[in-house]
Amino acid sequence: MVHLDAAFSALADPTRRAILARLALGEATVMELVEPFELTQPAISRHLKVLEGAGLILRRVDGTKRPCRLAPAAVTEIDQWLAMLREALAKNYNRLDDVLAAMKTEKGNP
């Protein structure tokens, strides 16, 4: 879980989250990513640099274009971390269910 801090820092920005949502649909060039935003190409490029630095996207060279795509390993890493939290929450809810069931039994209400 090397990039989690950088990934969550990058995800704090709504524009970067929107860019990732767009890339979830498939690979896109910088100019394709500029279209839905009211931002300049250099501004989008700066966002992409942050996302790339956080390990959330990958770029490849295709002539003069540098298409971007999601980095599956980063998404998997975040998902594993969130799965750990989901598991901890489920255990807490199960313990709460046990406590509530015990309280019901103590009051004589099965």
Side-chain angles (χ1 to χ4, degrees):
M1 303 209 176
V2 176
H3 294 101
L4 276 180
D5 289 343
F8 284 116
S9 179
L11 292 171
D13 184 276
T15 300
R16 289 193 281 269
R17 289 193 306 271
I19 290 170
L20 288 179
R22 166 52 189 87
L23 292 175
L25 301 174
E27 190 174 82
T29 64
V30 174
M31 294 314 292
E32 291 169 334
L33 292 170
V34 167
E35 290 173 15
F37 299 100
E38 294 182 15
L39 296 172
T40 64
Q41 181 271 328
I44 292 293
S45 291
R46 284 191 295 273
H47 283 296
L48 292 174
K49 189 170 187 163
V50 171
L51 291 169
E52 187 176 26
L56 292 169
I57 66 167
L58 301 171
R59 293 191 202 192
R60 65 179 177 83
V61 177
D62 183 14
T64 60
K65 298 178 183 177
R66 297 199 60 201
C68 305
R69 63 185 167 91
L70 289 178
V75 175
T76 300
E77 187 175 1
I78 291 169
D79 188 49
Q80 288 172 346
W81 186 79
L82 291 173
M84 180 263 310
L85 292 181
R86 283 190 295 272
E87 185 179 322
L89 283 173
K91 286 179 184 177
N92 286 340
Y93 287 132
N94 290 339
R95 282 195 301 266
L96 179 59
D97 288 343
D98 293 343
V99 168
L100 293 174
M103 290 172 65
K104 239 184 198 182
T105 304
E106 287 176 10
K107 289 185 176 184
N109 299 325

